[in-house]
Structures are given as structure tokens and as C-alpha cells.
Amino acid sequence: MIVVERIASYVPPGRESNFDRAAEFALDRDFIVDKLGVETVSRKAPDEETSDLCMKAAEALEAQTGGRLDDVDCLVVCTQNPDGDGIPHTSAVVHAKLKLSERCACFDISLGCSGYVYGLSVVSAFMQSNGLRTGLLFTADPYSKIIDRTDRSTALLFGDAAAVTLLREAGDAGRGWVAKRFAFGTRGADGAALHNRGKRLVMDGRAIFNFSVTQVPLQVGELLKGAGLTPADVDLFLLHQGSKFIVDQLTRRLGVPAERVPLRLAGQGNTVSSSLPLLLEETLDRPQLRHIVMSGFGVGLSWASCLLGRASAEDRA
Amino acid sequence: MSGIRDEVTRIVRESNAKVVLGDARDYDRPLKEIGIDSLDMMSILLAVSERYGVDIPDDEIDSLKTLNAVVSYVEARRGA
């Protein structure tokens, strides 16, 4: 049984205030607070690479675990803004910086906002099928590399961050969280709604909104039905932090109380595939939780949801 | 027509509880004046599309400057 044992993250200290740019985009304070939900966007330093963000997250993980990460069998980076021009793969760059064993498997996953859920499934299955004991799943997609600062539909939303999830073969320990069920969806024909054109991010906000608020509730409903659960059985719904507006609309359509749908947007913005692990790291240690649903959606168009539960003896069966 | 207007009113209130709809004149006021911003409009138009099966292309949204314009748009596309 592969479990999520720990998560650590790094949000670069650089910030741009959306309030400072409100007049430039003819926006009022209420719109920024109540609709975008993003008050400042995090920005990496110009010379900071995607692998550097991963390394800072890894250092935070080492600080949590109290030891060097030297027993890693598998290292995966989910990004669409890799180091340099993408060759070599960023996971290999991080592998070198962490000075990991040559026996460690490394590969990148190219996905955006659905990437964390996909990544959990891919890494867990890869570890399981190859008998690996320790895996690191990084998410790091610094959109500041491709954001047009004059584009109000993206410049005020996206922030830079990285997260790393430590996955382990639980053995008899039985601690941590296990992904019990997944659901995936793709609508490639509408992929132009969010794309990189000549290193400039272009987003059709209405298309992304319509897709997200119609497809995500359906997928979550099917996921829960397949698990024999109802929304009332779920302690927390961790939804990709596209914007406060989109999370609020999804909350309403899912028919769940807002207090079960946490937000982590105001201080850094939408951090693409890192938005879900940033939420999950704040909840892993809360003892009263039993079921968590996560859903990521965006670039692709792609959407993926999963049900997490506490690891237990039955999961090893 | 009043049925569509009632339904649009319900959708608007569900999308944004802060929207002010005091009397009939509010349906002819610019959307921003009654508290509907561009994101609310996305939500309202999606709900209207789902309710009436009417597609509203991006290039026609700019013509929908009031709630009565939305109601008329739906009415015309449904052949009511």
C-alpha cells in the first residue's frame, strides 16, 4: 500500500499586490477580494528555475522529516514550465541537485491544474508495480515564465509555487493517507481555451469556467457514487484554486457547505498543479478527518478527481 | 415572457445574492449598476443556457447590457 506520508511546499517570497494594479485594470477592491480571491500573486526571482523551486520544497520536506532524502527510489516532477527548454527533464535536474542514487527512477509529467491528482495515481501505481518504497512527487509550474503582465485574465490570478509529496510503501505502519479511487476526464478538442502561444499564456476565462463548473460536479458525483459515499460523508473538498469565484460556484453546484471547501488563494494566487498539495499539506495531520475529495481541472482541457482516506489494514488487501 | 423573467431573476439571485432588483426599472439598468459584474454574468449565462438550452456565443454577450436584454434574447431564441 502506497500512502501519502508528508507534503511540504515552497512559495517564493516575491509578491505583486493586485490592489496596486486595480486601477490599471479598472477593478475595485471587492472584485479582487470576493471574486478573484487573490490579493497578492507570488513571483519567483528572475534567475530562479523550476528545479530551484523544487529544491526549496525538498528542503522544507527534509526539515519536516528531520533527515536527508537519500533513500528515494522514484522522483517525478509535474510541470509544463520546465527548466530551460525542457531537455533534460526537470526531474533529472532535481535528481542531480538532491544527489540521489543512480538507481532512482525519474520522469516528468506534462499536465497543468489536474496534474497533482494524475501524479498521485501515476506515482503510486509506478511504485506499486515496481516494488519501490519511497517516492517524491513534485509539482512546480511557475506561470510567471509565460504570463503577459498586461493580460487581466491571467496576470492577477497565477502565482508561483512548488510542492513535494512524500509517498511511501506503508508496510505495517499503516500511517498516512491513501488514494482509494480516481476519475479522469479529457476534452482535447477545447484545449485552446488555455494554451501557451509563443511563451505567452492565453486563457478563455468563460470557456474554462463553463467547462469546470459543469464537469467537475459530475465527476465528483460519479466518484462518490462508485465509492458508495455521498457528499455528506466527505469531510473536505479540496478544489483546484482557479479563483475564489470558481471555487464558490463549484461549492454551490456540489451542494456542500462552504466550510468544507477550504481556500488558499489570497496570499499567492492560483499555483496550477501545486494548488491541491498546498491545501492538502494543511489538512493531512487533522485527526478528525476520514474522507477527502480532491479535484483538479484546467489545461487540456483535463480534469481529475480522487478520494483520499486514512490508510488502514484493509487497504493492504 | 414573465415566466422567463422570473426564472432569470431566480438565476441572478442564486448567482449573486448582493444584486439589487427593486422594481421593473432595474431590469433596464446597466448590469454593473445593479451589481452584476463580468464573472456573475458568466455564471448567469451558463445557468440560462442550461435552463433553456440556448447557446449564447461570446460575440453576442456585449449586446446583453441589461437583464431585459437577456430575457429578450432567450425569448427570441426559443421562438416564444
Side-chain angles (χ1 to χ4, degrees), chain A residues 1-6 133 167-180 284-285 287 289-290 309-317:
Chain A
M1 172 179 47
I2 306 296
V3 302
V4 172
E5 190 172 287
R6 299 233 61 87
R133 299 191 60 81
L167 295 119
R168 284 220 205 255
E169 168 54 55
D172 294 330
R175 295 188 316 174
W177 289 82
V178 62
K180 293 173 180 280
L284 280 182
D285 293 331
L289 302 179
R290 292 184 63 240
R310 295 274 184 195
S312 64
E314 302 94 77
D315 294 315
R316 287 202 295 277

Side-chain angles (χ1 to χ4, degrees), chain A residues 35 206 245 249 252-253, chain B residues 14 37 40 50 56 58:
Chain A
K35 294 294 174 56
R206 186 185 179 210
F245 179 71
Q249 294 291 318
R252 188 166 62 81
R253 283 175 175 251
Chain B
E14 200 173 271
D37 61 34
D40 295 326
E50 290 174 323
I56 306 170
D58 289 346

Side-chain angles (χ1 to χ4, degrees), chain A residues 36-314:
Chain A
L36 298 182
V38 181
E39 298 177 15
T40 61
V41 285
S42 51
R43 291 286 178 257
K44 69 178 188 63
D47 61 350
E48 212 170 12
E49 259 298 359
T50 305
S51 62
D52 297 323
L53 304 182
C54 292
M55 285 302 294
K56 295 279 187 163
E59 287 167 17
L61 181 62
E62 286 178 332
Q64 279 190 32
T65 57
R68 218 182 78 72
L69 298 168
D70 54 7
D71 60 346
V72 178
D73 304 308
C74 158
L75 187 164
V76 175
V77 175
C78 178
T79 187
Q80 293 185 319
N81 285 284
D83 276 30
D85 293 316
I87 298 178
H89 40 298
T90 300
S91 51
V93 179
V94 177
H95 172 272
K97 290 182 175 179
L98 280 171
K99 299 184 171 58
L100 296 177
S101 155
E102 289 188 359
R103 297 172 65 88
C104 175
C106 292
F107 58 94
D108 286 6
I109 296 176
S110 173
L111 280 166
C113 308
S114 64
Y116 185 64
V117 176
Y118 265 92
L120 280 184
S121 178
V122 169
V123 177
S124 298
F126 184 77
M127 289 174 65
Q128 195 90 54
S129 64
N130 293 291
L132 307 181
R133 299 191 60 81
T134 303
L136 296 178
L137 169 61
F138 288 90
T139 53
D141 214 346
Y143 267 28
S144 65
K145 289 185 176 184
I146 53 170
I147 277 176
D148 173 358
R149 278 180 48 81
T150 65
D151 181 357
R152 66 177 265 174
S153 66
T154 57
L156 306 181
L157 272 183
F158 291 101
D160 299 335
V164 57
T165 300
L166 173 62
L167 295 119
R168 284 220 205 255
E169 168 54 55
D172 294 330
R175 295 188 316 174
W177 289 82
V178 62
K180 293 173 180 280
R181 184 174 285 266
F182 289 91
F184 305 100
T186 307
R187 187 182 290 168
D190 291 340
L194 187 53
H195 71 282
N196 180 351
R197 182 188 299 153
K199 298 206 168 183
R200 177 180 178 271
L201 184 70
V202 179
M203 182 170 81
D204 178 343
R206 186 185 179 210
I208 295 291
F209 171 81
N210 287 351
F211 144 73
S212 304
V213 302
T214 54
Q215 294 308 311
V216 171
L218 290 175
Q219 187 178 67
V220 168
E222 287 168 10
L223 181 82
L224 291 177
K225 189 177 175 188
L229 298 174
T230 70
D233 298 315
V234 178
D235 301 300
L236 287 178
F237 291 84
L238 306 185
L239 305 178
H240 168 57
Q241 306 284 286
S243 67
K244 182 174 183 296
F245 179 71
I246 217 161
V247 174
D248 286 348
Q249 294 291 318
L250 280 171
T251 302
R252 188 166 62 81
R253 283 175 175 251
L254 285 165
V256 297
E259 55 268 23
R260 283 199 271 143
V261 189
L263 278 172
R264 187 173 174 184
L265 258 175
Q268 75 286 315
N270 170 354
T271 55
V272 198
S273 51
S274 293
S275 84
L276 289 175
L278 284 179
L279 285 169
L280 189 59
E281 76 171 327
E282 294 182 331
T283 58
L284 280 182
D285 293 331
R286 286 172 55 183
Q288 68 275 32
L289 302 179
R290 292 184 63 240
H291 297 297
I292 296 175
V293 163
M294 289 198 298
S295 189
F297 45 87
V299 178
L301 301 174
S302 169
W303 62 115
S305 303
C306 75
L307 174 68
L308 293 171
R310 295 274 184 195
S312 64
E314 302 94 77

Side-chain angles (χ1 to χ4, degrees), chain B residues 4-36:
Chain B
I4 295 176
R5 194 168 104 161
D6 289 348
E7 188 62 10
V8 168
T9 302
R10 184 191 66 75
I11 287 168
V12 168
R13 291 195 194 287
E14 200 173 271
S15 295
N16 183 350
K18 293 179 182 171
V19 172
V20 178
L21 286 174
D23 59 39
R25 285 171 298 182
D26 289 333
Y27 291 81
D28 285 318
R29 290 171 63 194
L31 296 168
K32 197 167 183 182
E33 282 186 18
I34 56 173
I36 295 175

